[in-house]
Amino acid sequence: MPHSAGQPACCQLTDWDEENAYGHRPPTCRTDQRNEEDATFSSIDLNGLQPQCEGPKLPPFPNRKATLKVIRRLSDPEHNGEAHVFEVTIARKAYALKIFKFYNEEADVEAFSKPELEVIGSDTLRAHSDPFYNECRAYGRLMEWDLNGRIAVRAHGYTTVTAENVHQLGAIFRIEDLIQDAEEHKINPNLPPYRCMFRAIVKDIIKDDVPLTHKRIKKMRRDLLQMREQGIYPLDIKRSNYRDGLLVDFSSAKTKPHFFLDMCAESRSERIVNEDLYAFDDMIKEANIKTWVKANLEEYKEKLRPRDLNRKKYPK
């Protein structure tokens, strides 16, 4: 039977235990009569857990010994993304816990020629392409400018989840890719650091989304432009990645300094980072919201005559 919201899985955030995280000594787990599970979650600062490159970084989640309960799955079961999101409580406070799947770099490697890869370097490629690293770098930049929680949902830090507990969550919520990744760890415990545990980010949870309005869209546009001013390009702007007008997903983001933006011709780099502007306008169009707000403002002005701009009147 799938897990229900009325039967939370009980877990524990603990200090770093090297044997535990590498799978040499599995955590103690049990299932009692209420179908609740006691398990071990670990939070560490391991070499390789953070992106090994210059630029911003997200700090670890501070509350490592608090009791954690997994309440329900938040991410869309039909969406095969790079991570799965759960509603959890930590020390009786509600959060969203985003658990990332193992990063497969083969597709990113195939996108470049051998000479290009020699220039880029495997560590840099991974640090700028891994979805977990993408979020860590984006949130690190938001924190540098005191924008965390103001123009995107607040992140509280990264943590790690043991392979055994991920396998349990995969079984409870019927998430096949988490089960497969956890079983890969069991088969080959001598994986590189970034594949020997499941990395996760703790964020604020926004339970009740609100409809888009002209006023809210104006703020969303300002937020997006402010991210771009700080060198953050989300590159995955869509309605499902917003909650209460705040962006919640940076797994596809490019944050400066970024090798790809540096090595591309200026015209190509500009086209890539401007994808967010077109995607924002498409999102508003699909939502059928009556508003003059456009992210790609220059293109919008070219389509309207001056008198049209003056005549547009919408609610504040």
Side-chain angles (χ1 to χ4, degrees):
M1 293 291 290
H3 191 71
S4 67
Q7 298 173 327
C10 300
C11 311
Q12 186 77 26
L13 284 171
T14 66
D15 284 330
W16 163 234
D17 180 319
E18 184 172 0
E19 285 187 289
N20 197 336
Y22 277 89
H24 299 159
R25 181 167 55 82
T28 301
C29 306
R30 69 176 183 272
T31 303
D32 64 21
Q33 294 180 348
R34 292 179 298 165
N35 197 30
E36 295 182 354
E37 299 183 29
D38 292 342
T40 302
F41 281 47
S42 58
S43 183
I44 66 169
D45 190 359
L46 178 72
N47 182 32
L49 186 60
Q50 277 283 32
Q52 303 301 296
C53 63
E54 295 182 0
K57 295 176 176 64
L58 179 69
F61 181 68
N63 198 354
R64 304 184 186 190
K65 291 187 176 181
T67 299
L68 180 149
K69 290 184 179 180
V70 180
I71 306 300
R72 63 190 175 107
R73 182 181 182 181
L74 296 174
S75 49
D76 184 356
E78 302 300 323
H79 177 62
N80 187 24
E82 304 296 339
H84 297 280
V85 185
F86 300 89
E87 178 185 349
V88 302
T89 60
I90 303 174
R92 299 184 179 180
K93 183 177 179 180
Y95 294 96
L97 182 71
K98 185 172 184 178
I99 302 177
F100 289 79
K101 296 186 289 187
F102 283 164
Y103 167 60
N104 188 342
E105 61 188 22
E106 291 182 3
D108 292 316
V109 170
E110 292 174 356
F112 299 95
S113 65
K114 187 174 181 179
E116 288 175 329
L117 290 173
E118 291 176 353
V119 173
I120 298 168
S122 59
D123 288 343
T124 299
L125 177 64
R126 185 180 306 114
H128 289 185
S129 305
D130 184 328
F132 171 75
Y133 292 158
N134 291 342
E135 290 226 357
C136 285
R137 298 182 75 238
Y139 272 113
R141 176 61 49 77
L142 291 176
M143 288 182 174
E144 288 177 353
W145 290 93
D146 194 26
L147 295 172
N148 185 30
R150 294 169 57 190
I151 64 175
V153 69
R154 182 179 299 277
H156 296 273
Y158 68 84
T159 188
T160 58
V161 185
T162 60
E164 181 165 344
N165 288 299
V166 167
H167 193 282
Q168 291 173 344
L169 288 176
I172 291 171
F173 294 100
R174 295 183 177 179
I175 307 174
E176 290 298 325
D177 49 21
L178 284 186
I179 295 174
Q180 291 172 4
D181 280 355
E183 289 178 346
E184 176 190 351
H185 177 275
K186 289 181 179 180
I187 295 171
N188 183 11
N190 298 316
L191 294 168
Y194 55 91
R195 289 181 72 89
C196 69
M197 68 199 72
F198 287 82
R199 303 158 301 169
I201 295 178
V202 182
K203 304 180 184 181
D204 278 352
I205 185 169
I206 302 176
K207 295 184 178 181
D208 298 321
D209 200 6
V210 295
L212 293 180
T213 63
H214 173 74
K215 183 177 181 180
R216 191 170 298 277
I217 291 170
K218 285 174 64 179
K219 181 185 182 301
M220 291 164 62
R221 175 184 179 274
R222 287 197 306 268
D223 293 347
L224 177 59
L225 296 181
Q226 192 165 10
M227 290 179 201
R228 293 167 60 83
E229 289 177 2
Q230 308 307 332
I232 304 171
Y233 305 97
L235 299 183
D236 194 19
I237 297 294
K238 56 186 177 182
R239 183 66 182 93
S240 59
N241 281 343
Y242 279 92
R243 298 288 292 178
D244 198 18
L246 294 174
L247 193 61
V248 300
D249 192 319
F250 289 96
S251 58
S252 298
K254 285 180 169 53
T255 302
K256 291 183 175 180
H258 195 285
F259 81 88
F260 191 72
L261 301 179
D262 293 339
M263 69 183 293
C264 282
E266 184 177 353
S267 58
R268 185 183 180 192
S269 176
E270 186 176 351
R271 286 198 304 271
I272 292 171
V273 299
N274 284 342
E275 288 178 6
D276 283 334
L277 304 180
Y278 295 105
F280 185 91
D281 291 346
D282 288 342
M283 175 181 68
I284 303 307
K285 184 178 179 180
E286 291 173 3
N288 197 28
I289 303 298
K290 199 174 185 181
T291 179
W292 52 262
V293 175
K294 296 285 182 178
N296 189 20
L297 190 58
E298 292 305 317
E299 180 184 85
Y300 180 63
K301 286 181 178 179
E302 291 176 2
K303 291 181 179 180
L304 293 177
R305 293 172 294 180
R307 68 174 186 175
D308 292 326
L309 288 171
N310 295 331
R311 291 171 56 190
K312 292 288 182 181
K313 292 184 179 180
Y314 298 103
K316 294 181 179 180

